[in-house]
Amino acid sequence: MSIMNQKGFSIIEITIGLLILTLVLAGFNGIFGLVFDTDHKMEEQKNMARIHDSMRTYLSVNAYVPCPDTDGDGLENRSVSSGVEVCVDREGTLPFNDLGVPEKDAWGNPYYYRVHQRAESSTYVNDSCEPASVLGKAGTRSQADMWLCPDTNIYYCADITASSNCNDVCSSTCTNTTDPRPTTNVTLPPFFHLATPPFGGVSGSLNIIVNDENGNQKSEGVVATVVSWGANGKEVNRDNCTGGTSDEMENCDDDRVFVDTQTGENRDFVTWVTVNQAKVAIIGTGEFR
């Protein structure tokens, strides 16, 4: 058979073949993309659990929650105001070196970290009747609204002039001259107490709010929250809060409301610490009485 009689592929056949190959590769890319995204989400769930555990451990050891990192070195940033150490800012990145956790999430983006806004104020951060006191680190303690019932030796956070106060549950006159903490190291943490709101009917002021996807509150008395911006974190984050879902917009809009989403392709990942979790973390250390 001569070379002239051999048949090859026509231009149309080659075009169809390339089209089929493109479709097959696109399908594989889609599958690999889904696997890749799923792996990252599973990794981030583990990261969030690790961060939450590390914050609880940090509380147990140090008796306070760290402030945000505002200069990128992985350490909390504080300043001194009226002899009290306060947070430089209510928001920043996670102090990963303080906590011993990864600097970045599964997609390579820094974690966003937001704490109770009153942690910036020397008036509130060391006040035992303020949720922000979970972030108190050093300085003079305030106990203006911390009242002791002599009959039961139980402390209450209440406005003694209000209609509902310590005297409503105590047969003797309540006093606020006794420091509920051990007498040593009174200028060091913990500055919060078992009576720190939320406690009973007292919810506390300006707490961070974490809702579920349906708008229902998930936790009460949140004082610190950590956010991973998820798969699209390079596009939708605190510095560029546009183009995401309504839940993503809620998480990056600079207010104190966050949404813990459990579904969605680009969902954020959120973990947090509450006042009650802080109490549990150090209740066995003997720092409360």
Side-chain angles (χ1 to χ4, degrees):
M1 182 182 293
S2 67
I3 295 177
M4 295 298 292
N5 292 329
Q6 293 181 5
K7 294 183 178 180
F9 293 106
S10 69
I11 296 298
I12 294 176
E13 289 172 324
I14 293 174
T15 302
I16 293 173
L18 290 174
L19 178 60
I20 293 173
L21 180 61
T22 300
L23 292 173
V24 170
L25 291 176
F28 276 118
N29 284 337
I31 293 172
F32 289 139
L34 288 173
V35 172
F36 183 78
D37 188 47
T38 300
D39 285 347
H40 275 55
K41 287 178 179 178
M42 292 176 64
E43 179 185 350
E44 194 51 47
Q45 288 174 333
K46 293 178 181 178
N47 286 348
M48 280 292 170
R50 177 179 173 183
I51 290 170
H52 184 76
D53 290 344
S54 294
M55 293 185 75
R56 298 281 294 274
T57 300
Y58 188 94
L59 261 166
S60 298
V61 173
N62 299 286
Y64 67 90
V65 168
C67 291
D69 172 16
T70 59
D71 57 16
D73 64 356
L75 303 173
E76 68 164 354
N77 288 99
R78 292 179 181 261
S79 60
V80 178
S81 175
S82 301
V84 174
E85 287 199 17
V86 300
C87 294
V88 169
D89 202 327
R90 70 191 66 178
E91 65 174 350
T93 55
L94 188 67
F96 59 91
N97 279 325
D98 283 326
L99 295 169
V101 297
E103 175 184 2
K104 298 180 179 180
D105 65 14
W107 294 272
N109 300 313
Y111 288 102
Y112 174 74
Y113 184 50
R114 169 70 181 252
V115 300
H116 196 289
Q117 64 193 61
R118 283 185 166 174
E120 298 174 293
S121 170
S122 60
T123 302
Y124 300 107
V125 71
N126 285 0
D127 186 333
S128 295
C129 287
E130 287 286 337
S133 61
V134 176
L135 289 108
K137 183 177 181 179
T140 304
R141 174 182 171 277
S142 171
Q143 60 182 71
D145 290 326
M146 178 73 77
W147 297 87
L148 171 67
C149 175
D151 298 339
T152 61
N153 202 36
I154 295 177
Y155 288 87
Y156 298 89
C157 280
D159 182 352
I160 205 68
T161 64
S163 58
S164 177
N165 56 54
C166 180
N167 288 331
D168 292 340
V169 293
C170 184
S171 57
S172 299
T173 301
C174 294
T175 65
N176 74 329
T177 57
T178 305
D179 191 329
R181 302 179 307 160
T183 55
T184 58
N185 297 328
V186 293
T187 61
L188 298 177
F191 289 95
F192 62 101
H193 185 260
L194 290 175
T196 301
F199 182 86
V202 183
S203 60
S205 301
L206 302 175
N207 297 324
I208 294 171
I209 299 169
V210 178
N211 293 328
D212 64 18
E213 294 166 276
N214 298 316
N216 301 310
Q217 186 169 311
K218 295 193 70 169
S219 288
E220 185 178 24
V222 177
V223 292
T225 185
V226 183
V227 179
S228 160
W229 305 118
N232 63 341
K234 285 184 171 60
E235 294 77 36
V236 182
N237 50 59
R238 181 68 189 87
D239 295 326
N240 184 35
C241 192
T242 58
T245 65
S246 59
D247 289 343
E248 289 179 287
M249 296 299 93
E250 185 62 84
N251 286 343
C252 62
D253 64 359
D254 194 29
D255 66 12
R256 59 190 179 91
V257 180
F258 293 84
V259 182
D260 180 32
T261 53
Q262 298 296 315
T263 58
E265 182 180 359
N266 295 319
R267 72 181 181 95
D268 295 341
F269 292 78
V270 183
T271 191
W272 58 90
V273 173
T274 69
V275 175
N276 286 334
Q277 288 171 340
K279 293 174 185 178
V280 171
I282 67 168
I283 201 167
T285 65
E287 297 292 343
F288 288 151
R289 67 180 177 91

